[in-house]
Amino acid sequence: MEKLLDTEDEVMLRDAARGFLEENAPLSAFRANRDAVRSYDPALWSEMAQMGWAGVLLPEEAGGADMGHRAAGILSEEMGKTLVASPFIASAVIAATALRDAGSDHLADIAAGQALYALAIDESAKFSPKHSALQARGEGNAFRLSGRKCFVADGASANRILVLARTSGSAGETQGLTLFNLDADRAGLNREAANSIDARDFATLDFDNVEATGDDVIGDVDNGLAAITPALQAGQAALAAELTGLSSGIAAITLGYLKERKQFGRTIGSFQALQHRAAHLFSEIEVTASAIANAGRVLDAGGSSDLAVSLAKARATQTAKLAVMEGVQMHGGIGMTDEYDAGFFMKRARVGAEWLGDYGYHAAIIAAHRGL
């Protein structure tokens, strides 16, 4: 695959984002957040919103920057390099896309960084929106939601929830699902924070006869999968970009270590076997970066994007896996100690591989497009 080059505007955006994050959100900031038992820094998120990042996909009339999905991918990639934790993907990408397409009146709050969304889709260990079984029982002009959602991104800290619930049919059917936009303090909604290995905000949400009205419905009743699918693809592309940034981040740390660590009287980076492994990793990251750029541009162009997005997420997952394995191995046993940062990258890569569909999920989509 030929590498897709950034445009002049994209280069400027990347340089600005990198400079801001290197100064305000280095790896030491991630470690500080983890030690303080907080999933992200609200003050940092507020600054991101002021810079227009929270409204990257929203129109200017809603207070957004309207820069598009490729720009969102660049921001995600730069955040991945230093493991920046924020509500960016769940709120500024997924929720913003779903609500923008539905013409919601919550867009200005998202652009301002004030509406923080959790994504309540998963109900089992594997991502499969059409298998949602959480019931939304009709009750006059309202609904009553009952059931459980797990692996809910930003579930403990969000003030609003996007939840996919079944209003008709059975789990596994694509029709009969409805997307709801709820405030997080709705009566009957209980949130329990999960102990995520990457120190991010994931939670389990229990719905006990939670009331929702017709005004809470996004899109059409029984056609919620159509309402959430473009938003999920936008999130998958952004997450793939974050994983690619993560790969670049751990690769840079590893190269620095190879240049400093000495064994047998010479730096270990002078060993040809390690040079070959580093070169191979560099090549994989470059190819994956092109897949990421392509996914963003396909999303911006409109039309069918599931193949480009799944290719990006599948490649990013595998590249991140290679990058963190090589990083930890080249560091030796100390790579997994808390004193070194390499282990943080491995943990985030593992969670990112599962969220919004693992390698197998996206490989199946690619195979279907190729008639396999």
Side-chain angles (χ1 to χ4, degrees):
M1 178 185 289
E2 181 181 352
K3 184 179 180 181
L4 298 180
L5 300 178
D6 288 342
T7 65
E8 184 177 343
D9 288 343
E10 289 166 357
V11 170
M12 292 175 60
L13 176 64
R14 186 182 297 279
D15 289 344
R18 183 175 300 167
F20 172 78
L21 294 172
E22 286 178 351
E23 180 178 352
N24 296 279
L27 269 169
S28 58
F30 171 81
R31 185 183 289 273
N33 285 334
R34 186 209 60 170
D35 292 346
V37 196
R38 65 179 183 181
S39 56
Y40 72 97
D41 181 357
L44 177 66
W45 174 243
S46 179
E47 290 189 62
M48 290 179 178
Q50 291 175 22
M51 295 173 65
W53 295 11
V56 63
L57 296 178
L58 297 178
E60 293 181 3
E61 56 267 27
D66 201 16
M67 290 188 284
H69 293 280
R70 175 60 186 140
I74 289 172
L75 296 177
S76 291
E77 189 175 341
E78 292 304 315
M79 284 188 261
K81 290 179 180 178
T82 55
L83 302 181
V84 179
S86 78
F88 181 75
I89 293 180
S91 294
V93 176
I94 298 176
T97 300
L99 300 182
R100 179 200 64 204
D101 293 349
S104 171
D105 56 2
H106 290 281
L107 300 185
D109 289 337
I110 294 177
Q114 297 170 353
L116 304 178
Y117 275 84
L119 185 66
I121 302 292
D122 295 318
E123 297 183 11
S124 66
K126 293 297 180 182
F127 175 78
S128 183
K130 70 179 182 180
H131 283 94
S132 292
L134 186 145
Q135 290 294 318
R137 186 182 69 257
E139 194 174 83
N141 294 324
F143 300 87
R144 291 285 180 176
L145 278 62
S146 296
R148 169 174 288 186
K149 293 287 186 179
C150 61
F151 206 34
V152 177
D154 297 314
S157 59
N159 52 31
R160 299 201 65 83
I161 312 288
L162 279 184
V163 55
L164 192 64
R166 187 158 291 282
T167 42
S168 67
S170 304
E173 297 178 1
T174 56
Q175 292 297 308
L177 290 165
T178 300
L179 184 65
F180 294 91
N181 178 14
L182 307 178
D183 50 284
D185 60 358
R186 196 72 60 96
L189 174 56
N190 179 62
R191 299 187 284 174
E192 182 178 353
N195 185 22
S196 174
I197 62 171
D198 64 345
R200 303 296 179 99
D201 179 3
F202 287 95
T204 298
L205 272 56
D206 285 302
F207 295 77
D208 184 9
N209 284 317
V210 175
E211 184 178 8
T213 69
D215 291 338
D216 298 322
V217 174
I218 301 300
D220 299 322
V221 173
D222 287 342
N223 198 27
L225 209 55
I228 194 62
T229 294
L232 291 175
Q233 289 178 353
Q236 288 160 346
L239 178 58
E242 182 194 330
L243 289 172
T244 302
L246 177 153
S247 299
S248 296
I250 184 61
I253 291 173
T254 303
L255 285 176
Y257 184 77
L258 294 181
K259 294 175 182 178
E260 295 175 359
R261 174 74 168 132
K262 289 187 175 181
Q263 193 74 287
F264 307 114
R266 54 194 288 200
T267 58
I268 61 175
S270 65
F271 299 151
Q272 191 176 56
L274 295 184
Q275 291 175 356
H276 287 170
R277 289 168 64 175
H280 174 237
L281 175 57
F282 172 82
S283 299
E284 290 297 309
I285 292 173
E286 289 292 290
V287 172
T288 300
S290 287
I292 301 304
N294 179 64
R297 290 173 185 169
V298 169
L299 284 166
D300 284 332
S304 177
S305 56
D306 53 340
L307 176 58
V309 169
S310 285
L311 178 61
K313 179 61 163 64
R315 271 212 64 95
T317 295
Q318 292 299 88
T319 302
K321 180 180 178 180
L322 173 66
V324 296
M325 288 178 63
E326 291 288 57
V328 169
Q329 289 178 17
M330 290 188 197
H331 274 80
I334 61 172
M336 285 304 295
T337 64
D338 195 68
E339 180 183 354
Y340 283 77
D341 295 326
F344 294 150
F345 286 86
M346 176 171 279
K347 292 171 183 177
R348 178 57 183 167
R350 190 68 190 92
V351 173
E354 291 296 325
W355 190 33
L356 300 178
D358 62 9
Y359 178 84
Y361 176 91
H362 291 286
I365 293 175
I366 296 168
H369 271 275
R370 293 177 176 172
L372 300 177

